[in-house]
Amino acid sequence: MSQISSPARLINSAEPVLGAAGAPSATKLAPDQRRHTGNVRAKPQAQRERRSTFSREQIVERILFEDSARLVLVHAPAGYGKTVLMRQLRASYQCHGALTAWVSLDDSDNDSAGFLHSLTVSIKRALARTRNKYFPVHALGDDDFDHVSAMEHIQSLMERPEFFDAPFVLFLDNFDALKVSCVIEHVTQLLDFFPPQARIVIGARSEPSIPLGQLRAHGQLVEVDTEELRLTDKETREFLRNECDAV
């Protein structure tokens, strides 16, 4: 993502980021609201990280240097800090001027219409944060959602000028919640039509059923696995020391 400035300004930067302390603004719709227009209820924000959370600066820096990546895949068993890393990565992207959107997935997203609607609202909120003439904040309504197919609607959003002025990063956390193949296929479609300056970051316990081999072959995949997330002895001592200081 060549538009992002030097990774020297990383996750500990004192500059303000969009949202609260880099915590994702996860968006979800109640099942009875997903097909309604103009009546969107946001899912509560993910909990803020404790100040003692261990910094994954080296991993964040490596990802930022991968300009050609279309997909960043963070995959490891529970307890390895996938979401913590993704939050820190999001904060760093925001510090470097990128637009970001975050969706925390759950079982209710195995409905195609609901998944795409939640995704649409999340992208619109990212656009609204630019507060410019192209997409004012009051344009968050979904009055046009039913007039075109959901994927066409998302594609039209990605063609707005904001996405050519700055990089865009979509975070999909807890990807393992998606079990329905047609919903997973939507993510593959997003990778196909996202503009060059956009990428997707996925957090999962295992490799998802998307064409990873093709992305690897073209140098468009960045992977963070269990081995990289595992703390060294030195990092473990530092983490425990920070935890004790926070008590």
Side-chain angles (χ1 to χ4, degrees):
M1 302 180 77
S2 56
Q3 295 88 339
I4 295 179
S5 58
S6 170
R9 298 161 51 208
L10 284 169
I11 54 180
N12 294 322
S13 169
E15 297 183 41
V17 298
L18 299 175
S25 294
T27 301
K28 193 73 62 182
L29 302 176
D32 60 343
Q33 291 178 316
R34 285 176 167 162
R35 298 182 184 276
H36 292 201
T37 60
N39 187 22
V40 175
R41 184 174 66 190
K43 192 175 183 179
Q45 288 190 350
Q47 293 182 350
R48 296 187 185 184
E49 298 173 57
R50 294 173 54 185
R51 289 190 176 183
S52 59
T53 294
F54 189 81
S55 170
R56 309 316 306 265
E57 183 172 341
Q58 289 186 337
I59 303 177
V60 170
E61 184 174 0
R62 180 177 76 83
I63 295 172
L64 289 180
F65 271 116
E66 296 286 352
D67 291 341
S68 62
R70 303 280 287 166
L71 174 66
V72 177
L73 176 60
V74 183
H75 59 100
Y80 274 80
K82 299 183 294 295
T83 301
V84 169
L85 170 62
M86 291 170 65
R87 287 174 179 166
Q88 294 182 9
L89 180 60
R90 187 191 190 196
S92 185
Y93 275 128
Q94 290 176 331
C95 282
H96 290 80
L99 296 175
T100 67
W102 182 293
V103 180
S104 293
L105 301 167
D106 56 39
D107 291 340
S108 66
D109 289 299
N110 285 289
D111 167 71
S112 183
F115 170 73
L116 293 175
H117 200 177
S118 294
L119 189 60
T120 300
V121 173
S122 183
I123 292 174
K124 283 187 173 184
R125 293 194 173 195
L127 284 168
R129 293 190 188 102
T130 65
R131 297 176 180 268
N132 61 27
K133 63 181 180 180
Y134 299 112
F135 202 83
V137 175
H138 67 263
L140 279 173
D142 294 295
D143 294 337
D144 54 350
F145 189 79
D146 293 330
H147 297 303
V148 294
S149 74
M151 290 303 296
E152 287 176 351
H153 186 67
I154 293 174
Q155 189 167 4
S156 69
L157 289 175
M158 298 305 300
E159 292 172 353
R160 289 184 175 273
E162 296 90 329
F163 288 115
F164 295 93
D165 295 337
F168 173 70
V169 187
L170 171 64
F171 289 81
L172 300 176
D173 195 18
N174 193 30
F175 199 86
D176 305 274
L178 299 184
K179 308 296 184 184
V180 179
S181 59
C182 66
V183 176
I184 298 174
E185 177 61 25
H186 290 323
V187 179
T188 301
Q189 294 171 351
L190 292 175
L191 288 167
D192 289 339
F193 69 66
F194 262 21
Q197 68 276 18
R199 63 174 52 170
I200 297 176
V201 179
I202 287 177
R205 296 185 180 184
S206 58
E207 291 191 358
S209 301
I210 55 179
L212 299 178
Q214 181 178 349
L215 291 167
R216 286 192 187 101
H218 290 87
Q220 297 176 329
L221 174 65
V222 176
E223 293 185 79
V224 180
D225 57 15
T226 303
E227 192 63 32
E228 189 168 7
L229 287 171
R230 182 180 290 115
L231 300 182
T232 65
D233 290 343
K234 179 180 178 181
E235 290 172 332
T236 300
R237 288 192 296 271
E238 181 180 346
F239 174 77
L240 293 175
R241 183 170 60 250
N242 291 340
E243 287 292 305
C244 291
D245 291 342
V247 175

